[in-house]
Amino acid sequence: MENSAVLCEISPVFRPYIQNLYHDLELGLCKAKVDLERIGSHCDGAETQFRLVLPYCSRKLKWEVIFDASTPWFAPDFRFDDDSFLNNSDEEFLIKKVPSLANWNGNDPNALCNVINELIKLYKAHQIKKLNEDDESRASFEYSALLGNGFTSEQDIEVYVLGHTAEFLIKLKVDTSRLPELYNEGTENNPGIDTALMLVRYPNSTNAELILSPFLTKCLGNITLPLMHQSGVLMDYVPMVTDLLNNKIQDLLNNDKLKRGLLAQLIVKYEGAILEHDANSAALLFEMNNFYWILQIDIGINFPEKPPILTLRSVYHSSKGKPKSKVLTACPYNNFEAYIEQQVEIFKNECKYVGPVIQASNMEN
């Protein structure tokens, strides 16, 4: 709501820059959207200035953007929340590192987006420089060693240094390409991109945190990271955690293959009885001497750890407005089809003594 309110208050002259930035700009390793905040009161300069809230590492950078209403064709001024950032930069440096600012194109609605992208890259370089000022620190060693092993690139790490503490946000090389196919998620339920990030802080590096996108959290559940010992190094720990996640994803894919195979066997065996089926369930209609009933088979995402749910439904009887049903209490993996046939026979026998509304006393497949 505040984002929309800030956009409405900005002068129409500058609004296209902010609209494009708000709708199109995605920053950080998780490609998150930026947020907007007011500077000061509702009336004081609301038409020409606002604050950007930018995701970086585990932080939220707050940079103020200030336009000049008297010269709307000029580039805006910036006020950063880090006094050490660009505090002694000369014009030549800015022309080289932030060309979109030095050569501001007021006719381009993406002008501000381009400047912010360049400033974020420059801010990351600034943080790495701060990290390397103490080249004998544990954090500096870990960063260099992690890049040196070739498993992680500089683009996959964000660095933030404050005093004697440093933190790394690391993008893990997790293959999620087949998961949308498996779970069939739309963009409304799965916004953004599927990422697995790990946050490590120094000097206390043993408390590594795993940050998963909402979709990966749904797929993988709660993941307990292996303990990172004080003597351990990131160049070993990052590949280990990456393998852990990729193995879990592969297990999901293998389980899905088993699930589809099981459904395929049932569909083939009871071909004439299939009412409907998809990748996770099947409904079969059986006839027993002119008495019809339905077997519903639902296979969840945790198959085969959790067995399928089998439900028998009567076509003729209802309870509280719903078809009368019976959920089977077990579903062994061995001889799955034989188990279904056995339970069908039990259900037939139960139906014989339900009452006079049951039409058949001698039921056959």
Side-chain angles (χ1 to χ4, degrees), residues 28 55-60 158-160 167-169 199 211:
Y56 179 82
C57 219
S58 70
R59 311 284 171 153
K60 295 289 188 181
E158 290 179 352
V159 177
Y160 185 83
E167 63 181 39
F168 303 150
L169 187 64
L199 180 65
I211 305 170

Side-chain angles (χ1 to χ4, degrees), residues 53-107:
V53 183
L54 310 169
Y56 179 82
C57 219
S58 70
R59 311 284 171 153
K60 295 289 188 181
L61 306 181
K62 295 193 174 186
W63 294 355
E64 296 180 2
V65 182
I66 304 166
F67 286 95
D68 188 343
S70 64
T71 53
W73 55 89
F74 276 15
D77 291 327
F78 292 87
R79 187 180 296 122
F80 306 107
D81 56 355
D82 183 345
D83 293 337
S84 65
F85 180 50
L86 297 181
N87 60 343
N88 291 316
S89 300
D90 56 27
E91 183 178 354
E92 183 179 349
F93 177 84
L94 292 176
I95 292 175
K96 181 179 179 180
K97 297 297 183 179
V98 198
S100 296
L101 182 62
N103 303 296
W104 176 262
N105 181 4
N107 296 320

Side-chain angles (χ1 to χ4, degrees), residues 138-171:
R138 172 71 181 273
S140 178
F141 163 77
E142 291 282 6
Y143 180 77
S144 299
L146 186 59
L147 295 181
N149 74 351
F151 188 83
T152 304
S153 66
E154 186 173 310
Q155 290 71 31
D156 292 333
I157 310 177
E158 290 179 352
V159 177
Y160 185 83
V161 178
L162 181 63
H164 297 291
T165 63
E167 63 181 39
F168 303 150
L169 187 64
I170 305 165
K171 183 178 180 180

Side-chain angles (χ1 to χ4, degrees), residues 195-246:
T195 54
L197 308 175
M198 187 168 68
L199 180 65
V200 184
R201 294 183 175 91
Y202 289 92
N204 185 17
S205 61
T206 58
N207 296 325
E209 299 177 28
L210 185 62
I211 305 170
L212 301 179
S213 64
F215 181 54
L216 277 182
T217 300
K218 176 183 177 180
C219 295
L220 302 180
N222 294 324
I223 304 293
T224 301
L225 288 178
L227 181 65
M228 183 177 178
H229 297 285
Q230 191 66 38
S231 58
V233 291
L234 277 180
M235 62 183 296
D236 295 332
Y237 189 70
V238 170
M240 180 172 62
V241 174
T242 302
D243 288 344
L244 171 68
L245 296 178
N246 280 323

Side-chain angles (χ1 to χ4, degrees), residues 323-358:
K324 189 173 182 179
S325 62
K326 174 186 177 181
V327 178
L328 303 183
T329 58
C331 181
Y333 297 136
N334 295 331
N335 301 319
F336 181 72
E337 292 181 4
Y339 172 77
I340 292 177
E341 293 178 356
Q342 179 189 30
Q343 293 300 317
V344 167
E345 291 299 327
I346 295 173
F347 186 69
K348 288 180 183 179
N349 292 329
E350 291 175 352
C351 288
K352 288 179 182 179
Y353 308 105
V354 169
V357 291
I358 300 300

Side-chain angles (χ1 to χ4, degrees), residues 182-199:
L182 173 59
Y183 285 86
N184 193 28
E185 288 284 338
T187 54
E188 291 183 1
N189 296 323
N190 183 33
I193 61 174
D194 299 321
T195 54
L197 308 175
M198 187 168 68
L199 180 65

